[in-house]
Amino acid sequence: MRLSALALCTAIAATGLLMAQEKAIDTQRSTITIHVGKSGLLSAAAHDHTINAPISSGTILESDTRHVEFRVETAKMTVKPDPRIDAKDQSTIQTHMEEMTLETKKFPEITFRSSRVQKLADGQWKVDGDLSLHGATQPVSLTVKQTGDSYTTHTVLKQTDFGITPISIGGGIIKVKNEVEIDFQIFARQ
């Protein structure tokens, strides 16, 4: 009788652990897209940019105590090709992003780690956590929605909150906006 009760308790505990296991983020399907705008007197002569920030690794815990964390290697971030921009200018924009904005050699990673996940409604959560970027860590709060097997959110961050000075040309007649918009679509590996 005792052996059966012990076996039952062990089976229940093992089932609970299996249900609460972290799942790896599917780095092939998941995307982080950053939208960078321009401002200044001659901003019409410049172009907005879209940046792909591939997730290098991360995990999602899908249980009552939800949790998410991920890592992006800054050297793998790329400015999406724009047919309005010639190849030379495209290369210059990429170099400026790597060397002047992100300083990829000095700050090789961007990380996010949730500290609290609160259910707002079916398929919707408020996720609080810490974003580390460019040597600074700041708290962020996101509203995350689940549609099928993907988690999505949109947020706006200020570059200066992370010690980044937006690029400015010609004394500010063309400059990058301080605020960048970020879209996340994250899938857990099945």
Side-chain angles (χ1 to χ4, degrees), residues 74-89:
T74 56
K76 292 185 178 178
M77 295 173 64
T78 57
V79 178
K80 196 180 234 182
D82 185 330
R84 301 169 296 169
I85 303 171
D86 67 40
K88 182 181 175 198
D89 287 343

Side-chain angles (χ1 to χ4, degrees), residues 63-131:
S63 70
D64 291 339
T65 55
R66 289 182 177 266
H67 176 79
V68 61
E69 63 182 72
F70 61 81
R71 181 176 68 89
V72 172
E73 294 174 52
T74 56
K76 292 185 178 178
M77 295 173 64
T78 57
V79 178
K80 196 180 234 182
D82 185 330
R84 301 169 296 169
I85 303 171
D86 67 40
K88 182 181 175 198
D89 287 343
Q90 184 79 25
S91 178
T92 300
I93 294 166
Q94 179 72 34
T95 300
H96 285 174
M97 179 188 72
E98 292 173 4
E99 295 176 1
M100 297 168 63
T101 303
L102 295 173
E103 298 180 83
T104 60
K105 287 187 168 84
K106 187 175 180 182
F107 305 109
E109 292 185 342
I110 298 170
T111 61
F112 176 80
R113 183 180 187 96
S114 66
S115 56
R116 181 172 184 233
V117 179
Q118 176 186 1
K119 185 174 183 172
L120 300 176
D122 283 344
Q124 186 172 353
W125 296 269
K126 178 182 178 202
V127 178
D128 297 316
D130 293 318
L131 179 65

Side-chain angles (χ1 to χ4, degrees), residues 34-39 155-160 166 176-182:
I34 304 164
H35 307 277
V36 181
K38 75 246 184 265
S39 64
T155 193
V156 176
L157 298 175
K158 290 184 178 179
Q159 296 182 71
T160 53
V176 171
K177 284 184 180 178
N178 188 24
E179 296 81 13
V180 294
E181 295 186 36
I182 306 173

Side-chain angles (χ1 to χ4, degrees), residues 36-40 42-49 84 174-177:
V36 181
K38 75 246 184 265
S39 64
L42 296 179
S43 61
H47 299 284
D48 293 340
H49 307 295
R84 301 169 296 169
I174 299 175
K175 56 187 175 181
V176 171
K177 284 184 180 178

